[in-house]
Amino acid sequence: MEQNYTIREFIEKTKQQDKGQGFFELETQRMLEVNLNGQVWAKAGSMISYTGGIKFEREGILEHGLGKFVKKALTGEGSSLMKANGSGKLYLADQGKKITILDLLGESIYINGNDLLAFEPSLEWDIKLMRKIAGMMAGGLFNVRLQGKGMVAFTSHYEPLTLLVEPGKPIFTDPNATVAWSGNLSPEFVTDVQLKTFFGRGSGESVQMKFSGEGFVVVQPFEEVYAADNQS
């Protein structure tokens, strides 16, 4: 239902509010506020506004060592990060996608490289390639493993759904709809020829991720198609 506002009513309804949630704060479901006093890593290009004294720096080529640089060269621009340093409020968003904040307490999690929005520098991280499916689907060839104590924010198209993986009951997902999974799981990739026949050669349904063991998988109700240069 359409609703009209006076300017004062509009400002009151949409103005920034301090909710006291800590380092990461959901200003809205699709906008992340970082209460910065130091450093944070964020997806390159995700900054939409900031206040205070904050400087932005593109991730250095060899900042995290040669091994990660080689992986980043293989995965393409989708995994590019920027570093924000200083003190102030930083606002991040990614194409209007819904944002979820997790506070890791020593656990580990894998997040699709395209869905990782921001994380605290206290977390250890590494890029994991999924080269086995190169040439079989459009993108989604890498993910990021984060571990330790600190906050991480990831995005999803619409509301995410978490599926519990139990021993003897594997879960199959479409790679283009898979957002994250617990750090103890190692997915296999399987090809379903029948689905390929039904949906066509370019469909992601022909390649599935199989999760076995005990843990969780986060999926979104959307098949995300990535840029072609992420397949190189």
Side-chain angles (χ1 to χ4, degrees):
M1 182 177 178
E2 186 176 349
Q3 186 172 356
N4 297 325
Y5 300 99
T6 65
I7 289 180
R8 178 176 295 180
E9 289 170 339
F10 176 75
I11 292 174
E12 186 63 30
K13 184 175 179 64
T14 62
K15 70 179 181 181
Q16 182 269 336
Q17 299 179 25
D18 288 318
K19 301 175 183 178
Q21 296 173 343
F23 184 63
F24 282 177
E25 185 173 301
L26 281 182
E27 189 60 33
T28 71
Q29 288 188 335
R30 304 176 191 279
M31 193 177 303
L32 178 69
E33 177 184 292
V34 182
N35 293 298
L36 189 61
N37 186 17
Q39 179 181 308
V40 68
W41 286 102
K43 183 175 183 178
S46 63
M47 186 277 289
I48 57 172
S49 181
Y50 70 91
T51 64
I54 300 176
K55 292 185 178 180
F56 300 90
E57 182 182 348
R58 189 90 171 185
E59 181 182 10
I61 291 179
L62 297 178
E63 183 160 352
H64 302 287
L66 182 60
K68 286 185 180 178
F69 167 68
V70 172
K71 292 177 184 178
K72 289 177 66 61
L74 289 171
T75 57
E77 286 299 307
S79 61
S80 293
L81 296 170
M82 66 179 182
K83 181 168 53 177
N85 283 292
S87 178
K89 292 185 181 296
L90 171 62
Y91 298 93
L92 305 174
D94 186 13
Q95 301 179 34
K97 294 163 67 177
K98 184 178 175 67
I99 299 170
T100 299
I101 300 172
L102 295 179
D103 191 0
L104 299 186
L105 302 175
E107 307 99 328
S108 60
I109 188 172
Y110 287 94
I111 298 178
N112 184 299
N114 196 56
D115 299 320
L116 180 62
L117 181 62
F119 59 92
E120 286 193 76
S122 58
L123 293 174
E124 297 179 6
W125 64 279
D126 194 15
I127 295 173
K128 302 293 183 180
L129 300 179
M130 297 190 288
R131 301 299 291 176
K132 292 181 181 179
I133 56 173
M136 290 193 289
M137 59 170 288
L141 297 180
F142 71 95
N143 52 72
V144 181
R145 187 179 191 272
L146 301 110
Q147 183 174 14
K149 293 185 178 181
M151 303 183 85
V152 57
F154 66 87
T155 60
S156 62
H157 286 276
Y158 311 105
E159 286 68 31
L161 173 68
T162 300
L163 304 171
L164 298 181
V165 183
E166 300 176 358
K169 298 180 180 179
I171 288 180
F172 297 84
T173 66
D174 182 335
N176 285 340
T178 306
V179 175
W181 58 92
S182 49
N184 61 305
L185 297 181
S186 297
E188 302 174 54
F189 293 93
V190 295
T191 304
D192 191 317
V193 178
Q194 288 184 325
L195 282 176
K196 194 170 185 178
T197 302
F198 274 110
F199 291 100
R201 295 185 61 182
S203 175
E205 283 86 350
S206 62
V207 180
Q208 302 165 3
M209 298 177 77
K210 179 183 178 181
F211 294 90
S212 303
E214 189 169 6
F216 64 87
V217 184
V218 181
V219 294
Q220 62 184 2
F222 186 94
E223 292 183 67
E224 197 158 5
V225 179
Y226 308 97
D229 59 4
N230 281 351
Q231 302 177 58
S232 58

